[in-house]
Amino acid sequence: MPDIDVRLVDVTKTFGDVVAVDHINLEVEHGEFFSLLGPSGCGKTTTLRMIGGFEEPTSGLIELQGEDVTWLPPYRRNVNTVFQNYALFPHLTIFENVAFGLRRRGARGDEIKSRVSEMLRLVELPGYEERKPTQISGGQAQRVALARALINRPAVLLLDEPLGALDLKLRKQMQLELKRIQEEVGITFVYVTHDQEEAMTMSNRIAVMNRGRYEQLGDPESLYERPATRFVAGFLGVSNLLPARPEGTADGYAVFRLEDGTAVRAPRSLVEGLTGRLSLGVRPEKIRLLELTAESPAHANRLQGVIRDASYLGVSTQYVVGLRDGKRVTVYEQNVERATRAEMWAPGEEVQLTWSPEHSFIVPDEPAGSSREATADQGL
Amino acid sequence: MGTLLKRHRWIAPYALLAPGILWLLAFYVYPAFQMFIASFWSGSLEKGFTFSLANYTNYTETINQFAPQYLRSIVYAGAATVLTFLIAYPLAYTIAFKGGRYKNLLLFLVVAPFFTSFLLRTISWKIILGDTGILLGPIKELGVLPEDFRLLATPVAVISGITYNFLPFMTLPIYVAVEKVDIRLVEAARDLYAGPWRPGGGIAGAVVAGGLAAVLGIVFAWPWPILAAGAALIGGAVGWFLVSESFIRVTFPLSLPGVFAGSLLTFIPAIGDYVNAEFLGNPDTRMIGNVIQNKFLTQNDYPVASALSFTLMAAILIVVAVYARILGTEELTTTGRV
């Protein structure tokens, strides 16, 4: 049984009539890089702020390393936060910014000095001690904010969209940097972001949040390969979702009838417990396009369609394929074999779409609400 | 006009500056220069004035004869500035951080007294502070204070009047500065273990309040040990319960530009003020403003009045320069950028 650093038990937060966080249960393990991922207004930042002590939950319990901190103010909690836009103290030097927490806890002068310079080395900013926050770049401010929080050796580090203000290239670089630092210091990170790629790159586990609850919780791979709800399927990457009627099983697979009349297969384990109207999903890059007459692998799912649109994206080509019932499916094809425009599929060509049944996933069709209950519990 | 400005872009800033410059040239620079000349005149209104560069007697006379009034002006204005700060800061802080949707209403109430004439408001303080007025009357009735105890026509009345009249000038700049403080910085400080500030806040409150009461008590020959002890007790309690470490480390330093602006806006006009001393004081509380007013308008002694004014200007410049040096204005302007 791993150590639990953060435990939320049935935590709810309402602002007036608005339910920001709706009965959340979460456990973050020691040393984990845990992300809360979701669109703005989904309650991820409120959840983080409750862990940090900046909001009090309307009901529920918050534990840090087994200690009930629900009603403790931020300065009595062994967590530190990297704020959105960094919130560096503009009137203090970088040294004093980083030393702030140590000073408040009454550390000695020489200890402060050695720990600040050690910390600035960790975030690769040695020699910046005497500068003011106005004299450094956004990326450097980000590192200072990180150093200012980590120097206190918190049980958990909370990060609230820390890379949001950086440009794309710097963001990519900082993602790797953050992961390196997290592994180096071994502190549990709880990371809030709306950027699915960011969450996937760094996290051990992700909770995908929507409307005050999380729809699914798991490692990046299982969230991507086996999204459990329409929301998760759409929020993490691109999904093709086709309405599907269950028609029993064959060869160990669950069989579904699509609206164009074709039968397709999906792993049986995914269908258990699901009732009502369902959709079958498949990721665009899992689909292969073949000539109508070509031989496809046995057991593979097969659909027929016509190329409607082709866009060359460099690393891959994106096709939009119209199915026989008019539904449109997106397909990504790596530009490995076909590299020139002449070799690609052209609009109007009839094609065969095939993918392995293993790559199918099933999500319930009914609007969130009823299905959320089930998936949220699965997450635990 | 449009094409002219487009072709000669360099004109624009001068065109925008022109009204202000012309106004100041006509109504400030020229009269000031005129007054500077007048301060070297000798003679009288009846016999006519003559200019003489050798005539420094006006200045030696003003400095020798009116030193007590100068000193009094600095002490009164200084005490009033400190008092306005002590009242205005909590007021501005509360409006900025706790005002919520009543913010604008509360700010309006701060400036609402301006809708009544400055003179009328000062005169109405006579009624409030009168020997049997609404403040002292009931207390004397109870026998708590002796019958001959008075506030009107004392330094207390003058300083109170100045404090009251200049309160908005202190409150508004501080409000603007406090309101600009990013609440996330306060959260960051609390996140970094800035909690209640004990016993620091209590000690600081006791020292500030007790020290101020002691200084005022000694200057005005009141029973200062009792006053200082009482003030220290109250200040200590306020500091103990209300001052947090995030305030003293973050909010307060970041609002110093407002404190600086507010104290200058209060101190500089207050040092030259004569209305409060005129209505609320007695001959022994006359400030330098009263002397200047008297010399100019009653005695028609323009040379000495002009010399007094220039000496006052010099005194203010020295005090403000020292103050700016202590508070470090350059440091303050750079913290304004976030």
Side-chain angles (χ1 to χ4, degrees), chain B residues 136-248:
Chain B
L136 291 182
I139 302 177
K140 286 183 180 174
E141 213 47 42
L142 290 170
V144 179
L145 285 171
E147 205 49 49
D148 61 348
F149 181 88
R150 58 184 329 205
L151 282 174
L152 196 60
T154 66
V156 176
V158 180
I159 293 173
S160 309
I162 298 174
T163 302
Y164 160 73
N165 276 311
F166 288 97
L167 194 57
F169 295 102
M170 183 70 92
T171 310
L172 294 181
I174 294 180
Y175 169 81
V176 170
V178 173
E179 219 253 345
K180 238 177 36 185
V181 173
D182 190 342
I183 191 74
R184 285 173 302 190
L185 295 179
V186 178
E187 286 186 346
R190 284 163 58 79
D191 186 63
L192 296 163
Y193 315 110
W197 194 39
R198 293 168 192 158
I203 295 169
V207 168
V208 169
L212 185 69
V215 167
L216 284 179
I218 291 168
V219 168
F220 298 121
W222 294 330
W224 67 269
I226 302 169
L227 280 178
L233 205 65
I234 296 170
V238 168
W240 181 277
F241 289 110
L242 294 183
V243 179
S244 67
E245 215 169 0
S246 61
F247 172 78
I248 216 72

Side-chain angles (χ1 to χ4, degrees), chain A residues 88-93 132-134, chain B residues 177 180-182 185 250-258 327-338:
Chain A
L88 297 181
F89 305 122
H91 58 301
L92 299 179
T93 59
K132 286 286 189 75
T134 47
Chain B
K180 238 177 36 185
V181 173
D182 190 342
L185 295 179
V250 176
T251 314
F252 186 65
L254 287 176
S255 64
L256 277 180
L327 239 88
T329 35
E330 208 178 318
E331 194 76 353
L332 291 177
T333 44
T334 52
T335 60
R337 289 187 286 134
V338 178

Side-chain angles (χ1 to χ4, degrees), chain A residues 99-146:
Chain A
F100 196 92
L102 292 183
R103 286 208 192 282
R104 300 289 82 73
R105 296 214 280 196
R108 281 194 337 274
D110 49 343
E111 190 202 342
I112 291 175
K113 218 164 166 202
S114 71
R115 276 176 68 180
V116 169
S117 52
E118 177 199 337
M119 214 59 226
L120 287 178
R121 260 202 314 280
L122 178 73
V123 297
E124 291 169 354
L125 282 178
Y128 280 71
E129 283 88 347
E130 293 317 312
R131 298 220 196 167
K132 286 286 189 75
T134 47
Q135 296 166 323
I136 58 176
S137 71
Q140 291 168 338
Q142 169 59 62
R143 289 156 191 267
V144 174
L146 195 62

Side-chain angles (χ1 to χ4, degrees), chain B residues 1-8:
Chain B
M1 181 73 179
T3 51
L4 180 80
L5 279 181
K6 248 173 225 158
R7 215 168 289 163
H8 305 280

